[in-house]
């Protein structure tokens, strides 16, 4: 029995700064998950993952992460991915800083 | 303390130059991440959730003031103005950019420091009793052999690809402040009946997903034989340790699967083979190292002012009651500086705080500082007449918290606020527990209590050996915290017992509050600590407090 494919985004860390980034529809990387491409088809996801991994000269550790659609664009579903969009909880550092 | 000789200096500089070239080749695309990753890990550079993290070794936890000042410089120049001291006596920078890391390593080399072997399947930073060289109960300062082990293990050609990482801890006392029974090798300086100094060698301890207490492999190894004996142990492990399963690769599993007798036989056989031809210890080299760790010239002065200040200032008195330990020299004390003000992040120090501690060490502390595995900073040699001046300077930068060994002196790993391996956060739990008991004004009433928090099963926060241990897990996409009880990380090492089902993020602090208030009702007297009460009563009454509904059901 096949599993139902749940929506995902492609994410990684930037090579130079190391911060979380997401893959967009036009093959660029964004620091805002809401601008990422939301992938709803498994075969398309596999293809896009290959394309994203081709950018390994500027990104590190590409993977598919669970996400959900919202009015503002894709948003994380798991708390780990939510932290990656913000930064740590003990200081206002990381993405929440700006 | 030990100062790099030309060989050390040249070696570290060469490593920096190599890594600089490797970073350049990664950035210009000549190296893929798969090719680059082993190089960066060899130099302590990790990639975490939000950024790179550089783990810098503080060998056996010892620093001088120039080194601490340089750590502050790194925090200001390449990071966000702070550093995080870890349970392995290292310091971690959470926000470096890849391009800057070679410069950071170069700045570290300027003060005789590095980040070599702070990652990877190698022998890691050798840790030591943070009171080494100062403790009253010490047989001998264990740091000369720790330095010898550092030199022997650094870039050791045979041990760069071990089945798994390998951690060594040393102590010079029977009282264990270095958790030696939870290390791959634990070494205790001992004296035999003939009065000779040697080493009790313990192997196969470890925390993580399969916590185990180390076993004594040899009751007495002579000073001359220590290095070849350690070489024999690591060499046997290198061949026998499992490489098929990462979770069964540590020496604790090798020991468990093969038994202590077989390991003893293999180590002895290997030792006999290598000892006659071992070229690793040059007696003159060891003598130079021992000389470098000779105790400072202790001064004599009146302590009248100290006693008067204690009488006049209750806050100072409280701090001296809590944060001092007995020193081997008359009228000296060991000062533990708490970097765990209630509500602060355990182990974090700002660059300003680092500079103040460095200046105090230079002015009053014979230029020595230590990092403890409990994530505090130690001034090991302070004359009592200088304590009030130190206290006053520390108070100005929020470092005079009188809580060493108390409920808010919590060990916490970075957890999911930073760490890519974590399954839940640790820091906010530590912050909330410390803040809550400060509000209740019960900290000193509760007395000695060690809470240790890990944000995943790997147990960097030592939760297994906390009197109260907390383990953060991911349960179906939600943070969940398991409590263990009765753990102990000293010479009477005990792995804590799991209390029962975990608690949600909003339930864990109330659960700890219930548990600790319940202990106050259960204890026989104020002198009976949480751990003693637990040992006397067993787990049952504490479980009843943690799970009142279940207790009621059982009673009905």
């Amino acid at each position: 029995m096949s599993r139902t494919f749940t929506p995902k985004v492609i994410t990684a860390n930037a090579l130079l700064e190391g911060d979380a980034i997401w893959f967009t529809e036009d093959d660029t990387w964004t620091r805002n998950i809401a601008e990422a491409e939301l992938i709803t088809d498994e075969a398309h996801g596999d293809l896009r993952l290959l394309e994203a991994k081709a950018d390994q000269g500027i990104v590190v550790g590409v993977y598919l992460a669970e996400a959900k659609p919202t009015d503002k664009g894709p948003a994380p579903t798991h708390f780990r991915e939510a932290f990656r969009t913000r930064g740590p909880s003990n200081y206002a550092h990381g993405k929440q800083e700006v | 303390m030990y100062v790099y000789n030309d060989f050390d200096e040249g070696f570290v500089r060469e490593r920096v130059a190599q890594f600089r070239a490797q970073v350049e080749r990664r950035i210009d695309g000549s190296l893929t991440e798969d090719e680059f990753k082993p190089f960066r890990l060899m130099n302590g550079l990790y990639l975490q959730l939000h950024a790179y993290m550089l783990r810098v070794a503080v060998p056996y936890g010892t620093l001088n003031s120039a080194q601490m000042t340089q750590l502050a410089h790194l925090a200001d120049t390449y990071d966000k103005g702070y550093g995080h001291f870890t349970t392995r006596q290292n310091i971690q920078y959470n926000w470096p950019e890849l391009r800057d890391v070679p410069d950071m390593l170069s700045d570290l080399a300027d003060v005789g420091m590095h980040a070599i072997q702070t990652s990877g399947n190698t022998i890691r930073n050798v840790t030591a009793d943070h009171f080494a060289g100062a403790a009253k109960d010490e047989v001998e300062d264990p740091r000369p052999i720790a330095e010898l082990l550092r030199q022997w293990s650094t870039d050791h050609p045979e041990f760069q690809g071990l089945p798994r990482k390998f951690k060594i801890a040393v102590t010079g006392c029977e009282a264990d402040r270095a958790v030696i029974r939870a290390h791959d090798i634990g070494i205790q300086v001992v004296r035999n009946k003939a009065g000779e100094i040697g080493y009790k060698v313990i192997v196969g301890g470890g925390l993580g997903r399969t916590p185990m207490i180390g076993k004594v492999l040899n009751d007495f190894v002579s000073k001359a034989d220590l290095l070849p004996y350690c070489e024999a142990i690591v060499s046997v492990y290198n061949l026998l340790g499992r490489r098929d399963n990462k979770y069964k690769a540590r020496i604790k599993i090798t020991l468990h699967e093969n038994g202590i007798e077989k390991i003893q036989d293999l180590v002895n056989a290997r030792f006999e083979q290598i000892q006659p031809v071992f070229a690793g210890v040059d007696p003159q080299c060891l003598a130079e190292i021992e000389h470098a760790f000779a105790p400072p010239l202790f001064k004599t002065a009146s302590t009248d002012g100290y006693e008067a200040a204690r009488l006049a200032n209750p806050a100072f008195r409280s701090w001296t009651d809590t944060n001092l330990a007995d020193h081997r020299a008359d009228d000296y004390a060991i000062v533990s500086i708490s970097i765990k003000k209630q509500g602060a992040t355990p182990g974090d120090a700002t660059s300003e705080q680092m500079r103040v501690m460095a200046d105090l060490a230079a002015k009053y502390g014979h230029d020595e500082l230590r990092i403890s595995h409990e994530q505090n900073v130690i001034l090991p040699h302070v004359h009592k007449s200088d304590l009030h001046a130190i206290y006053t300077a520390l108070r100005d930068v929020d470092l005079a918290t009188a809580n060493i060994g108390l409920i808010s002196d919590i060990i916490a790993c970075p957890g999911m606020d930073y760490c890519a391996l974590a399954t839940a956060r640790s820091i906010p739990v530590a912050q909330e527990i410390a803040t809550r008991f400060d509000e209740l004004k019960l900290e000193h009433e509760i007395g000695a209590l060690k809470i240790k928090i890990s944000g995943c099963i790997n147990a960097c926060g030592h939760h297994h050996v906390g009197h109260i241990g907390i383990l953060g897990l991911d349960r179906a996409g939600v943070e969940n915290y398991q409590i263990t009880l009765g753990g102990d990380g000293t010479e009477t090492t005990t792995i804590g017992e799991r209390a029962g089902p975990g608690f949600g993020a909003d339930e864990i602090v109330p659960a700890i509050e219930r548990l600790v208030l319940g202990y106050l009702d259960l204890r026989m007297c104020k002198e009976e600590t949480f751990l003693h009460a637990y040992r006397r009563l067993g787990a049952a009454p504490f479980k009843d407090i943690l799970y009142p509904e279940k207790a009621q059901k059982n009673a009905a």
Side-chain angles (χ1 to χ4, degrees):
Chain A
M1 211 177 83
S2 66
R3 285 172 300 115
T4 319
F5 184 79
T6 49
K8 292 181 177 54
V9 288
I10 291 172
T11 184
N13 290 72
L15 174 69
L16 296 180
E17 296 83 6
D19 62 333
I21 48 176
W22 292 268
F23 201 46
T24 68
E25 273 174 27
D26 42 359
D27 297 348
T28 59
W29 293 87
T30 173
R31 275 159 166 87
N32 178 2
I33 188 176
E35 294 167 3
E37 175 184 5
L38 189 72
I39 294 162
T40 52
D41 175 82
E42 189 162 7
H44 180 64
D46 290 346
L47 182 70
R48 295 295 285 155
L49 193 61
L50 284 175
E51 286 166 352
K53 281 182 176 172
D55 278 346
Q56 71 130 345
I58 49 168
V59 305
V60 185
V62 182
Y63 65 95
L64 284 160
E66 297 286 330
K68 63 186 176 195
T70 71
D71 295 345
K72 291 176 187 160
T77 59
H78 190 277
F79 62 93
R80 183 182 194 272
E81 291 304 315
F83 292 146
R84 292 180 75 243
T85 67
R86 287 199 300 268
S89 49
N90 59 333
Y91 305 115
H93 289 160
K95 298 197 189 305
Q96 63 200 335
E97 197 169 5
V98 281
Chain B
M1 57 183 275
Y2 185 75
V3 178
Y4 277 8
N5 60 25
D6 291 347
F7 177 84
D8 298 305
E9 166 87 17
F11 173 77
V12 171
R13 294 283 175 198
E14 190 185 347
R15 253 308 180 80
V16 173
Q18 287 167 350
F19 189 59
R20 190 180 295 283
Q22 288 154 0
V23 167
E24 279 165 16
R25 296 212 303 279
R26 174 68 181 109
I27 292 172
D28 74 17
S30 313
L31 289 176
T32 64
E33 185 60 22
D34 286 348
E35 289 162 338
F36 177 66
K37 191 175 176 183
F39 295 136
R40 70 168 159 82
L41 291 178
M42 279 170 72
N43 292 288
L45 186 64
Y46 288 73
L47 185 54
Q48 298 283 45
L49 280 187
H50 314 293
Y52 287 96
M53 179 271 281
L54 182 67
R55 180 181 292 160
V56 177
V58 179
Y60 32 88
T62 295
L63 291 170
N64 61 30
S65 59
Q67 290 171 326
M68 183 65 112
T69 304
Q70 191 75 330
L71 295 180
H73 158 76
L74 258 70
D76 281 338
T77 312
Y78 308 106
D79 208 274
K80 293 186 188 287
Y82 75 99
H84 175 75
F85 291 108
T86 77
T87 54
R88 296 219 73 255
Q89 299 179 316
N90 295 312
I91 181 168
Q92 296 183 172
Y93 293 99
N94 286 320
W95 303 96
E97 294 192 7
L98 181 59
R99 255 186 232 286
D100 290 336
V101 176
D103 290 338
M104 295 174 83
L105 296 176
S106 177
D107 290 354
L108 287 167
D110 290 345
V111 291
M113 294 183 77
H114 62 70
I116 295 166
Q117 287 180 211
T118 58
S119 175
N121 295 333
T122 58
I123 299 172
R124 302 287 187 90
N125 184 33
V126 177
T127 55
D129 178 3
H130 43 270
F131 292 169
K136 199 167 188 169
D137 53 349
E138 191 171 78
V139 175
E140 188 178 78
D141 187 344
R143 291 174 303 154
I145 57 137
E147 171 60 24
L148 199 62
L149 287 162
R150 182 191 75 82
Q151 295 189 10
W152 159 76
S153 61
T154 301
D155 225 25
H156 191 303
E158 195 179 324
F159 304 144
Q160 293 304 301
L162 294 170
R164 198 78 178 85
K165 58 187 164 185
F166 201 91
K167 300 175 182 176
I168 302 177
V170 297
T171 178
C173 320
E174 180 60 33
D176 184 4
R177 288 174 289 262
V179 212
I180 62 169
R181 285 158 190 82
H183 281 77
D184 297 283
I185 294 180
I187 296 172
Q188 180 189 341
V189 185
V190 291
R191 201 184 287 279
N192 66 9
K193 282 180 185 153
E196 296 156 333
I197 296 233
Y199 308 96
K200 184 198 273 188
V201 178
I202 295 164
V203 291
L207 301 175
R209 71 180 56 221
T210 320
M212 288 191 183
I213 296 169
K215 293 193 164 83
V216 177
L217 190 67
N218 196 322
D219 280 310
F220 191 87
V221 176
S222 73
K223 194 170 265 196
D225 285 344
L226 183 67
L227 274 197
Y229 193 76
C230 287
E231 173 125 347
I233 297 171
V234 185
S235 167
V236 165
Y237 164 64
N238 201 13
L239 287 178
L240 197 61
R242 288 178 59 172
R243 290 168 195 269
D244 62 318
N245 182 340
K246 184 180 167 180
Y247 303 119
K248 297 186 192 286
R250 296 288 290 270
I251 195 173
K252 61 188 174 188
I253 306 290
T254 317
L255 180 77
H256 186 71
E257 288 182 347
N258 292 276
I260 184 89
E261 290 80 15
K262 183 177 173 188
I263 301 289
Q264 250 158 355
D265 290 346
L266 288 168
V267 168
N268 289 341
R270 178 75 182 143
F271 176 72
E272 277 166 29
Q273 212 176 15
I274 60 178
Q275 196 260 356
V277 292
F278 191 79
V281 197
D282 171 355
Q284 185 169 349
C285 170
L286 179 60
E288 279 169 21
I289 292 172
E290 283 179 339
H291 180 71
F293 288 103
L297 287 173
F298 296 119
K299 69 176 183 182
T300 49
S302 165
T303 58
D304 293 351
Y306 164 66
E307 300 298 345
R310 262 177 59 86
L311 287 174
N313 182 343
F316 175 60
R317 187 163 65 238
S318 169
W319 179 78
T320 59
D321 285 343
T322 313
N323 292 35
L324 300 186
D326 288 341
H327 196 282
R328 61 168 51 168
D330 288 342
D331 296 333
Y332 267 71
I334 302 170
V335 175
S336 291
I337 302 171
S338 168
I339 45 175
K340 308 218 190 124
K341 186 184 178 179
Q342 292 87 358
T345 302
D348 279 11
T350 65
S351 56
E352 185 194 16
Q353 290 175 328
M354 291 183 215
R355 286 195 182 92
V356 167
M357 292 188 281
D359 291 348
L360 289 172
K363 194 167 175 188
Y364 302 113
H366 298 276
D367 208 34
E368 271 203 45
L369 300 125
R370 306 287 170 74
I371 307 306
S372 77
H373 81 270
E374 292 179 319
Q375 300 176 290
N376 289 310
V377 178
I378 318 293
L379 297 174
H381 309 298
V382 176
H383 193 271
K384 286 181 180 168
S385 60
D386 295 323
L387 284 169
H388 191 259
I390 287 176
Y391 169 78
T392 308
L394 289 174
R395 200 185 46 194
D396 291 343
V397 286
D398 267 348
L399 285 175
T401 309
N403 67 344
I404 296 296
L406 302 181
I407 193 169
S408 61
D409 184 9
I410 300 171
I411 288 185
C413 71
M416 203 185 271
D417 284 308
Y418 297 90
C419 179
L421 300 174
T423 42
R425 288 173 296 175
S426 318
I427 292 167
V429 178
Q431 290 174 310
E432 285 168 35
I433 292 171
T435 307
R436 179 61 186 148
F437 282 92
D438 193 39
E439 282 165 7
L440 293 171
K441 297 290 167 222
L442 277 175
E443 180 151 49
H444 291 268
E445 175 67 23
I446 294 159
L449 177 55
K450 291 185 191 293
I451 297 183
K452 302 180 196 277
I453 310 175
S454 304
C456 82
I457 195 103
N458 294 311
C460 293
H462 294 187
H463 65 277
H464 296 296
V465 292
H467 303 167
I468 300 173
I470 301 174
L471 167 62
L473 296 168
D474 174 349
R475 283 276 176 266
V478 181
E479 287 169 298
N480 189 271
Y481 295 90
Q482 268 180 12
I483 293 178
T484 51
L485 297 170
D488 174 8
T490 70
E491 62 281 10
T492 45
T493 306
T494 310
I495 303 297
E497 185 189 342
R498 207 184 126 189
F503 295 88
D506 54 348
E507 298 167 340
I508 183 64
V509 180
I512 297 296
E513 182 175 334
R514 206 155 63 234
L515 181 64
V516 174
L517 296 181
Y519 146 70
L520 292 179
D521 292 336
L522 288 169
R523 71 181 178 186
M524 287 195 299
C525 58
K526 206 180 166 185
E527 285 66 42
E528 189 179 48
T529 63
F530 180 90
L531 187 60
H532 288 142
Y534 182 83
R535 285 181 175 162
R536 176 173 61 86
L537 295 164
F542 295 91
K543 287 184 183 177
D544 287 349
I545 295 164
L546 275 175
Y547 306 99
E549 283 161 20
K550 197 176 169 208
Q552 261 175 2
K553 214 181 277 176
N554 289 346

